[in-house]
Structure formats: structure tokens, C-alpha cells
Amino acid sequence: MASNSEAGGSADYETLMSTSDVELLKRAWRNEKAAPEILQYEGALVDRAKEQIELVEETIEEYVENGIDPLVVSLYQMDLDRAQFLLRSYLRVRLLKIEKFMFHNLKSEEAERRLSEQEKVFATRCADDLAKHFEETVLLKLPENYQSVLKQSLISEVDDMVPQPHLDTFVVCRSKNFVSLNLYEEGESPETVEMERGDLYFIRYKIVKGAIESGQIDLI
């Protein structure tokens, strides 16, 4: 009985190891970690990763109870540790960006669309708590024209106290296939760069932003 379970477990392990979800999660984590702004939340991928982790945890418990070969159990445990590390790291990086750019993420429709519902709640609570803290400790003691959390003064036309991601930051990226990119914005002298599959480039993030979102380029 144990040998059958062990054989089945080995087959399941091979299937688990060959799945692309771990690689996709690793890609999402690397891109998120290297990008200066928050990227689109990979909800479907995160859900599948959570289900996979739960399945492996249940399998490990079952194999330990049934006395399955410790080597098989250790293989499952290594795979579980890797998946948990990637998932936690991915979510942690996103939370750090939300905390750093909370006001920007909430006032920018583009940035807010990239957040999960739970992340939106977290960002709103952080912003409310920070605004309340500033008001109680500093802002209410200042002249009325300087009591805004978002602006240096009421005469400011923009929210000049809101930190924003620096999209001109240089990043290292690798092309997954042939890509032709515009180096300059509209109105400037046109110039393109052609990236072949596997090419590495040190380039401004905003130039490759669209290609990253479409999956043509990965950040390193």
C-alpha cells in the first residue's frame, strides 16, 4: 500500500515540478521587485499558487503519517518552501510599494486598477492613518494654508507632497522575443532600439514599461 502511494506521490511530484506556475510566480516577483512602480496584481496566479501550496501541505502530512520514504517527503518540502518563499516575497514587495506610494496609488486611476481589492483596503487604511497622524501631530498646529497632507500649501495647483514612482529609473531587462521600442516620447526625435530574443539591456523603465506589461520583456 505504501509503495503504491509512494509511486503515486512521485508521479504527482513530477507533475508539480513541471508546472509553469512556479516559473510564472518567479517572473512576477522579479518584475515587481525591479520595477519602480507597482505592477498589475497577478490574482489568478496567486490563487493557483495558494491552492498548490495547500495541496502540497496536505500531501506532506499524509505521507508523514503513512511512513512514506523521507526522501520523497523532503522533495515535497523543498518544493513547498520554494513556492511559499516566492509567494510571500511577491506579496511583500507589493505591500512595500503600497506603503511608499499610498497616496499616489489611490489618486491615480491607472495605479489603483493594478491593486487587488485587499490591497486597496490596505492602501486606504494606511493613507487614512497617516493623514490622521500628521494632522494630530503637525498639520493642525500650522497656519490654515499649510494644513494639507497632499500639498505644500493651498495655492499649489498639484499634489506636490505626494511621492511618485520615478519612471526614468534605469532597469536591467531581457527580451523574450524580438521587440522594437521607441527611445523617446512623442514630439521628440524618433529613434528606436531593436531587441533580439535573449538580449540584455540597461534602459529607462518607461521605455520598456509597455513591453513588460505585455510579457515581451522581463526585468532582471
Side-chain angles (χ1 to χ4, degrees), residues 134-143 147:
F134 282 160
E135 289 173 358
E136 293 178 349
T137 58
V138 178
L139 296 178
L140 294 181
K141 301 176 183 179
L142 298 177
Q147 292 183 0

Side-chain angles (χ1 to χ4, degrees), residues 1-12 62-63 66 68 72 76:
M1 184 67 178
S3 60
N4 290 336
S5 298
E6 184 174 338
S10 299
D12 291 340
E62 178 184 347
Y63 283 8
N66 293 336
I68 300 299
V72 175
Y76 271 90

Side-chain angles (χ1 to χ4, degrees), residues 22 35 61 76 78 92 114 116-117 133 136 156 158 163 169 175-176 189 202 205 211:
V22 172
E61 291 180 3
Y76 271 90
M78 285 190 299
R92 186 180 298 114
R114 296 174 183 164
S116 68
E117 292 303 318
H133 173 71
E136 293 178 349
S156 300
V158 296
T169 298
S175 176
K176 299 171 67 176
S189 301
F202 185 60
Y205 170 78

Side-chain angles (χ1 to χ4, degrees), residues 172-187:
V172 179
C173 62
R174 176 185 288 114
S175 176
K176 299 171 67 176
N177 45 48
F178 176 81
V179 182
S180 180
L181 301 171
N182 293 321
L183 289 179
Y184 300 102
E185 300 178 356
E186 295 184 12

